[in-house]
Amino acid sequence: AQTVTQSQPEMSVQEAETVTLSCTYDTSESNYYLFWYKQPPSRQMILVIRQEAYKQQNATENRFSVNFQKAAKSFSLKISDSQLGDTAMYFCAFSLNYGGSQGNLIFGKGTKLSVKP
Amino acid sequence: ETGVTQTPRHLVMGMTNKKSLKCEQHLGHNAMYWYKQSAKKPLELMFVYSLEERVENNSVPSRFSPECPNSSHLFLHLHTLQPEDSALYLCASSQDLWSYEQYFGPGTRLTVT
């Protein structure tokens, strides 16, 4: 069975600084996807970034980037130039890759990030 | 905001009540999902529908009864709930079953008294 662990229940960062959220996962499979979802206080969860396990290059989306270490089963999210609007719960998620179709999304417990002015 | 809406946003019900949660997606997607989000626990997938057919039921108690009358609407009928069922219930949709991007609704905050 696959599991996702986020070891930091809460974190805070000053506006404009950089913060890294940690995520580790466990799987015996080699073909899968990893995701970071953001859930702001308004509660609508949105996809921030996605990584395919077969790609060595780390995914980036503007100020958001990941550090994907497949051997270590680690998938951290780096937020650069933090903004007040980045305050949210961040969920790391995993799904298997069935030939291009993903399987069930498995979520971690989340990290509550507060960006302070 | 995404094209997935949920009503009501907040619901308080007694253990003997019957209520329904509604989800509607305006994205033309073919798959819809119900998740349960409890404090300090990972999101739990409850039900999955693809083209109005239920394709997954993750050992959810029968006091939760889903209904998908068409690909745009998803309901979760509730009856005889327990206080431990209090949680945020999230609906999501995706273009096709298990498409990599799921679009989430804002959720219904349910309190069972």
Side-chain angles (χ1 to χ4, degrees):
Chain A
Q2 288 78 31
T3 60
V4 177
T5 302
Q6 293 179 250
S7 59
Q8 306 150 314
E10 292 192 42
M11 293 189 72
S12 65
V13 63
Q14 289 296 127
E15 198 175 4
E17 293 188 348
T18 295
V19 64
T20 299
L21 309 183
S22 302
C23 173
T24 58
Y25 58 95
D26 190 26
T27 182
S28 58
E29 303 289 335
S30 60
N31 205 3
Y32 50 86
Y33 296 104
L34 293 161
F35 309 84
W36 279 98
Y37 278 86
K38 170 185 177 182
Q39 189 180 37
S42 64
R43 296 177 298 175
Q44 201 132 16
M45 187 130 56
I46 57 173
L47 178 66
V48 175
I49 199 163
R50 180 183 80 128
Q51 174 82 42
E52 291 95 336
Y54 65 85
K55 289 187 178 178
Q56 293 186 342
Q57 187 172 7
N58 289 323
T60 62
E61 285 288 341
N62 301 314
R63 297 182 295 106
F64 298 88
S65 61
V66 298
N67 183 3
F68 173 46
Q69 302 288 327
K70 192 171 184 178
K73 296 180 183 175
S74 169
F75 183 61
S76 60
L77 175 71
K78 185 171 84 170
I79 306 174
S80 304
D81 186 24
S82 297
Q83 300 176 359
L84 296 177
D86 295 333
T87 293
M89 283 289 290
Y90 286 83
F91 294 94
C92 180
F94 168 101
S95 74
L96 292 173
N97 180 352
Y98 298 115
S101 296
Q102 73 173 55
N104 190 359
L105 270 176
I106 299 167
F107 287 86
K109 291 184 179 182
T111 296
K112 184 178 180 181
L113 177 67
S114 299
V115 179
K116 301 185 184 305
Chain B
E1 296 294 319
T2 69
V4 182
T5 58
Q6 290 186 244
T7 54
R9 295 292 300 272
H10 300 270
L11 178 62
V12 179
M13 59 186 288
M15 289 191 284
T16 58
N17 290 158
K18 287 185 181 182
K19 296 286 183 184
S20 295
L21 310 185
K22 179 183 176 182
C23 174
E24 184 172 1
Q25 58 95 0
H26 312 274
L27 302 168
H29 288 171
N30 295 317
M32 297 186 78
Y33 313 78
W34 278 118
Y35 288 89
K36 177 183 179 182
Q37 186 177 17
S38 305
K40 300 184 179 167
K41 291 177 71 175
L43 264 76
E44 301 169 67
L45 180 66
M46 300 175 71
F47 300 104
V48 182
Y49 277 82
S50 175
L51 297 171
E52 298 122 60
E53 276 195 41
R54 191 190 310 180
V55 297
E56 187 146 334
N57 175 347
N58 269 3
S59 303
V60 180
S62 60
R63 57 186 184 268
F64 294 91
S65 174
E67 178 190 0
C68 188
N70 55 63
S71 59
S72 299
H73 293 87
L74 185 64
F75 295 89
L76 188 62
H77 304 300
L78 317 170
H79 65 95
T80 325
L81 294 192
Q82 305 298 311
E84 61 264 29
D85 296 323
S86 298
L88 182 68
Y89 289 84
L90 293 171
C91 173
S93 71
S94 62
Q95 182 62 58
D96 298 299
L97 183 63
W98 305 128
S99 292
Y100 66 81
E101 183 154 8
Q102 292 184 21
Y103 292 79
F104 285 82
T108 295
R109 172 67 64 188
L110 174 67
T111 303
V112 182
T113 60

